């Protein structure tokens, strides 16, 4: 029981962390787009740090989620809603990993991040988060 409580603690903590970092990064990108100016190098570095922390938080979510699913349910055969949640989580992981790659390449080249990519990331992330939340709400409803 204490293992499950500890895993849930880190699962929820990383969920809040990933969400907050994603919102912060999106707000920074949007503010610079509205001002029609590329982010200054320190802001780009901050965006990279937020993206890296977000990726770490998503990885922690995956690890704790896999262990929790195994400990609580003993199987991943929990129905379509659980698979919807996994699809959303997979897309979110891929988007955050891609964002990290894109920001690193932009910084390495000394250019600002591609505005089209930075515009698309929040929409994809929000849609995948909606799938995750809908899926988990259905799975955990008795």
């Amino acid at each position: 029981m204490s293992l499950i409580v500890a895993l849930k603690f880190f699962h929820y903590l990383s969920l809040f962390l990933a969400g907050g970092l994603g919102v912060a990064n999106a707000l920074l990108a949007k503010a610079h787009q509205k001002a029609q100016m590329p982010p200054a190098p320190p802001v780009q570095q901050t965006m990279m740090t937020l993206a890296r922390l977000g990726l770490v938080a998503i990885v922690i979510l995956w690890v704790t989620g896999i262990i929790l699913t195994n400990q609580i349910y003993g199987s991943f055969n929990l129905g379509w809603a659980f698979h919807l949640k996994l699809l959303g989580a997979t897309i979110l992981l891929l988007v955050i990993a891609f964002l990290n790659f894109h920001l690193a390449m932009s910084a390495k080249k000394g250019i600002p991040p591609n505005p089209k990519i930075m515009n698309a990331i929040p929409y994809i992330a929000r849609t995948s988060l909606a799938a995750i939340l809908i899926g988990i709400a259905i799975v955990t409803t008795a």
Side-chain angles (χ1 to χ4, degrees):
M1 182 62 150
S2 61
L3 173 65
I4 291 174
V5 171
L7 287 169
K8 281 185 177 184
F9 173 80
F10 287 109
H11 194 74
Y12 296 147
L13 180 65
S14 56
L15 176 65
F16 294 132
L17 184 61
L21 295 169
V23 169
N25 229 347
L27 289 173
L28 280 171
K30 199 61 154 177
H32 282 86
Q33 286 174 350
K34 278 186 180 181
Q36 296 182 343
M37 60 187 312
V43 176
Q44 283 186 28
Q45 189 64 36
T46 300
M47 292 172 78
M48 281 181 46
T49 301
L50 291 172
R52 284 185 186 132
L53 289 171
L55 182 59
V56 169
I58 295 291
V59 169
I60 292 170
L61 273 168
W62 269 94
V63 170
T64 57
I66 289 169
I67 298 169
L68 280 166
T69 301
N70 189 43
Q71 291 290 313
I72 294 171
Y73 302 107
S75 169
F76 286 83
N77 188 17
L78 300 175
W80 68 269
F82 184 73
H83 294 290
L84 174 67
K85 175 201 169 295
L86 287 179
L87 176 65
T90 301
I91 292 169
L92 186 60
L93 175 62
L94 293 173
V95 166
I96 299 300
F98 175 76
L99 177 64
N100 273 273
F101 175 77
H102 177 66
L103 290 175
M105 289 297 105
S106 295
K108 191 179 226 181
K109 294 176 184 174
I111 59 173
N114 184 323
K116 288 182 182 179
I117 291 173
M118 297 307 288
N119 272 340
I121 295 278
Y123 295 111
I124 297 168
R126 284 185 212 128
T127 303
S128 64
L129 282 170
I132 293 166
L133 294 173
I134 290 167
I136 202 63
I138 293 168
V139 169
T140 57
T141 300

